[in-house]
PDB file of all heavy atoms in Angstrom:
ATOM      1  N   HIS A 195      -2.772  -5.887  13.067  1.00  0.00           N
ATOM      2  CA  HIS A 195      -2.817  -6.079  11.599  1.00  0.00           C
ATOM      3  C   HIS A 195      -2.570  -4.755  10.784  1.00  0.00           C
ATOM      4  O   HIS A 195      -2.877  -3.750  11.390  1.00  0.00           O
ATOM      5  CB  HIS A 195      -4.291  -6.558  11.193  1.00  0.00           C
ATOM      6  CG  HIS A 195      -4.551  -7.868  11.847  1.00  0.00           C
ATOM      7  ND1 HIS A 195      -5.778  -8.333  11.868  1.00  0.00           N
ATOM      8  CD2 HIS A 195      -3.740  -8.790  12.250  1.00  0.00           C
ATOM      9  CE1 HIS A 195      -5.896  -9.571  12.468  1.00  0.00           C
ATOM     10  NE2 HIS A 195      -4.616  -9.847  12.744  1.00  0.00           N
ATOM     11  N   PRO A 196      -2.075  -4.890   9.673  1.00  0.00           N
ATOM     12  CA  PRO A 196      -1.805  -3.576   8.917  1.00  0.00           C
ATOM     13  C   PRO A 196      -3.159  -2.902   8.559  1.00  0.00           C
ATOM     14  O   PRO A 196      -4.151  -3.555   8.303  1.00  0.00           O
ATOM     15  CB  PRO A 196      -1.207  -4.231   7.547  1.00  0.00           C
ATOM     16  CG  PRO A 196      -0.661  -5.449   7.981  1.00  0.00           C
ATOM     17  CD  PRO A 196      -1.570  -5.940   8.961  1.00  0.00           C
ATOM     18  N   LEU A 208      -2.738  -9.477  -4.490  1.00  0.00           N
ATOM     19  CA  LEU A 208      -2.086  -9.665  -3.098  1.00  0.00           C
ATOM     20  C   LEU A 208      -0.846 -10.606  -3.226  1.00  0.00           C
ATOM     21  O   LEU A 208       0.005 -10.595  -2.388  1.00  0.00           O
ATOM     22  CB  LEU A 208      -3.042 -10.329  -2.109  1.00  0.00           C
ATOM     23  CG  LEU A 208      -4.150  -9.273  -1.644  1.00  0.00           C
ATOM     24  CD1 LEU A 208      -5.142 -10.149  -0.769  1.00  0.00           C
ATOM     25  CD2 LEU A 208      -3.620  -8.157  -0.960  1.00  0.00           C
ATOM     26  N   LEU A 212       0.081 -11.844   3.445  1.00  0.00           N
ATOM     27  CA  LEU A 212      -0.653 -11.616   4.637  1.00  0.00           C
ATOM     28  C   LEU A 212      -2.182 -11.752   4.463  1.00  0.00           C
ATOM     29  O   LEU A 212      -2.953 -10.857   4.901  1.00  0.00           O
ATOM     30  CB  LEU A 212      -0.387 -10.201   5.207  1.00  0.00           C
ATOM     31  CG  LEU A 212       1.146  -9.870   5.492  1.00  0.00           C
ATOM     32  CD1 LEU A 212       1.266  -8.362   5.908  1.00  0.00           C
ATOM     33  CD2 LEU A 212       1.625 -10.697   6.746  1.00  0.00           C
ATOM     34  N   LEU A 213      -2.591 -12.929   3.899  1.00  0.00           N
ATOM     35  CA  LEU A 213      -3.980 -13.150   3.543  1.00  0.00           C
ATOM     36  C   LEU A 213      -4.996 -12.913   4.729  1.00  0.00           C
ATOM     37  O   LEU A 213      -5.920 -12.308   4.617  1.00  0.00           O
ATOM     38  CB  LEU A 213      -4.258 -14.523   2.999  1.00  0.00           C
ATOM     39  CG  LEU A 213      -3.423 -14.817   1.662  1.00  0.00           C
ATOM     40  CD1 LEU A 213      -3.725 -16.137   1.110  1.00  0.00           C
ATOM     41  CD2 LEU A 213      -3.763 -13.702   0.684  1.00  0.00           C
ATOM     42  N   TRP A 214      -4.652 -13.417   5.792  1.00  0.00           N
ATOM     43  CA  TRP A 214      -5.371 -13.263   7.106  1.00  0.00           C
ATOM     44  C   TRP A 214      -5.326 -11.907   7.639  1.00  0.00           C
ATOM     45  O   TRP A 214      -6.396 -11.158   7.890  1.00  0.00           O
ATOM     46  CB  TRP A 214      -4.867 -14.153   8.181  1.00  0.00           C
ATOM     47  CG  TRP A 214      -5.443 -14.149   9.496  1.00  0.00           C
ATOM     48  CD1 TRP A 214      -5.155 -13.206  10.500  1.00  0.00           C
ATOM     49  CD2 TRP A 214      -6.450 -14.915  10.148  1.00  0.00           C
ATOM     50  NE1 TRP A 214      -5.820 -13.359  11.615  1.00  0.00           N
ATOM     51  CE2 TRP A 214      -6.715 -14.444  11.514  1.00  0.00           C
ATOM     52  CE3 TRP A 214      -7.116 -16.081   9.664  1.00  0.00           C
ATOM     53  CZ2 TRP A 214      -7.572 -15.022  12.251  1.00  0.00           C
ATOM     54  CZ3 TRP A 214      -8.050 -16.665  10.625  1.00  0.00           C
ATOM     55  CH2 TRP A 214      -8.296 -16.118  11.778  1.00  0.00           C
ATOM     56  N   GLN A 215      -4.148 -11.353   7.665  1.00  0.00           N
ATOM     57  CA  GLN A 215      -3.947 -10.085   8.312  1.00  0.00           C
ATOM     58  C   GLN A 215      -4.509  -8.823   7.545  1.00  0.00           C
ATOM     59  O   GLN A 215      -4.741  -7.705   8.166  1.00  0.00           O
ATOM     60  CB  GLN A 215      -2.406  -9.818   8.616  1.00  0.00           C
ATOM     61  CG  GLN A 215      -1.834 -10.818   9.433  1.00  0.00           C
ATOM     62  CD  GLN A 215      -1.368 -12.077   8.864  1.00  0.00           C
ATOM     63  OE1 GLN A 215      -1.719 -12.428   7.736  1.00  0.00           O
ATOM     64  NE2 GLN A 215      -0.354 -12.820   9.437  1.00  0.00           N
ATOM     65  N   LEU A 216      -4.604  -8.915   6.296  1.00  0.00           N
ATOM     66  CA  LEU A 216      -4.930  -7.849   5.424  1.00  0.00           C
ATOM     67  C   LEU A 216      -6.495  -7.782   5.266  1.00  0.00           C
ATOM     68  O   LEU A 216      -6.926  -6.985   4.398  1.00  0.00           O
ATOM     69  CB  LEU A 216      -4.302  -7.899   4.028  1.00  0.00           C
ATOM     70  CG  LEU A 216      -2.837  -7.729   4.104  1.00  0.00           C
ATOM     71  CD1 LEU A 216      -2.190  -7.890   2.693  1.00  0.00           C
ATOM     72  CD2 LEU A 216      -2.463  -6.174   4.577  1.00  0.00           C
ATOM     73  N   ALA A 217      -7.260  -8.654   6.003  1.00  0.00           N
ATOM     74  CA  ALA A 217      -8.749  -8.833   5.770  1.00  0.00           C
ATOM     75  C   ALA A 217      -9.443  -7.444   5.667  1.00  0.00           C
ATOM     76  O   ALA A 217     -10.250  -7.254   4.884  1.00  0.00           O
ATOM     77  CB  ALA A 217      -9.322  -9.580   6.940  1.00  0.00           C
ATOM     78  N   TYR A 218      -8.986  -6.457   6.461  1.00  0.00           N
ATOM     79  CA  TYR A 218      -9.661  -5.179   6.513  1.00  0.00           C
ATOM     80  C   TYR A 218      -8.638  -3.979   6.113  1.00  0.00           C
ATOM     81  O   TYR A 218      -9.007  -2.849   6.385  1.00  0.00           O
ATOM     82  CB  TYR A 218     -10.472  -4.878   7.758  1.00  0.00           C
ATOM     83  CG  TYR A 218     -11.965  -5.089   7.555  1.00  0.00           C
ATOM     84  CD1 TYR A 218     -12.483  -6.394   7.990  1.00  0.00           C
ATOM     85  CD2 TYR A 218     -12.721  -4.373   6.732  1.00  0.00           C
ATOM     86  CE1 TYR A 218     -13.762  -6.654   7.724  1.00  0.00           C
ATOM     87  CE2 TYR A 218     -14.042  -4.627   6.530  1.00  0.00           C
ATOM     88  CZ  TYR A 218     -14.554  -5.754   7.023  1.00  0.00           C
ATOM     89  OH  TYR A 218     -15.908  -5.979   6.803  1.00  0.00           O
ATOM     90  N   ALA A 219      -7.609  -4.285   5.568  1.00  0.00           N
ATOM     91  CA  ALA A 219      -6.600  -3.212   5.243  1.00  0.00           C
ATOM     92  C   ALA A 219      -7.179  -2.349   3.977  1.00  0.00           C
ATOM     93  O   ALA A 219      -7.854  -2.902   3.137  1.00  0.00           O
ATOM     94  CB  ALA A 219      -5.277  -3.767   4.849  1.00  0.00           C
ATOM     95  N   GLU A 220      -6.866  -1.059   4.046  1.00  0.00           N
ATOM     96  CA  GLU A 220      -7.109  -0.143   2.840  1.00  0.00           C
ATOM     97  C   GLU A 220      -5.978  -0.580   1.940  1.00  0.00           C
ATOM     98  O   GLU A 220      -4.754  -0.699   2.328  1.00  0.00           O
ATOM     99  CB  GLU A 220      -6.942   1.275   3.387  1.00  0.00           C
ATOM    100  CG  GLU A 220      -8.126   1.605   4.263  1.00  0.00           C
ATOM    101  CD  GLU A 220      -9.520   1.445   3.626  1.00  0.00           C
ATOM    102  OE1 GLU A 220      -9.690   1.662   2.448  1.00  0.00           O
ATOM    103  OE2 GLU A 220     -10.453   1.092   4.332  1.00  0.00           O
ATOM    104  N   ARG A 248     -13.506   4.016   6.759  1.00  0.00           N
ATOM    105  CA  ARG A 248     -13.292   2.792   7.107  1.00  0.00           C
ATOM    106  C   ARG A 248     -14.632   2.187   7.769  1.00  0.00           C
ATOM    107  O   ARG A 248     -14.877   2.512   8.865  1.00  0.00           O
ATOM    108  CB  ARG A 248     -12.018   2.423   7.951  1.00  0.00           C
ATOM    109  CG  ARG A 248     -10.903   3.005   7.243  1.00  0.00           C
ATOM    110  CD  ARG A 248      -9.527   2.553   7.967  1.00  0.00           C
ATOM    111  NE  ARG A 248      -9.138   1.197   7.755  1.00  0.00           N
ATOM    112  CZ  ARG A 248      -8.365   0.465   8.388  1.00  0.00           C
ATOM    113  NH1 ARG A 248      -7.734   1.066   9.512  1.00  0.00           N
ATOM    114  NH2 ARG A 248      -8.156  -0.797   8.075  1.00  0.00           N
ATOM    115  N   PHE A 250     -15.761  -1.225   8.030  1.00  0.00           N
ATOM    116  CA  PHE A 250     -15.655  -2.523   8.804  1.00  0.00           C
ATOM    117  C   PHE A 250     -17.008  -3.264   8.789  1.00  0.00           C
ATOM    118  O   PHE A 250     -17.420  -3.855   9.751  1.00  0.00           O
ATOM    119  CB  PHE A 250     -15.204  -2.321  10.126  1.00  0.00           C
ATOM    120  CG  PHE A 250     -13.693  -1.864  10.274  1.00  0.00           C
ATOM    121  CD1 PHE A 250     -13.578  -0.539  10.636  1.00  0.00           C
ATOM    122  CD2 PHE A 250     -12.618  -2.708   9.917  1.00  0.00           C
ATOM    123  CE1 PHE A 250     -12.199   0.010  10.642  1.00  0.00           C
ATOM    124  CE2 PHE A 250     -11.318  -2.151  10.055  1.00  0.00           C
ATOM    125  CZ  PHE A 250     -11.173  -0.831  10.380  1.00  0.00           C
TER     126      PHE A 250
END
Side-chain angles (χ1 to χ4, degrees):
H195 297 165
L208 289 178
L212 300 175
L213 297 181
W214 171 282
Q215 298 86 341
L216 291 174
Y218 260 105
E220 296 297 327
R248 305 191 73 196
F250 299 102

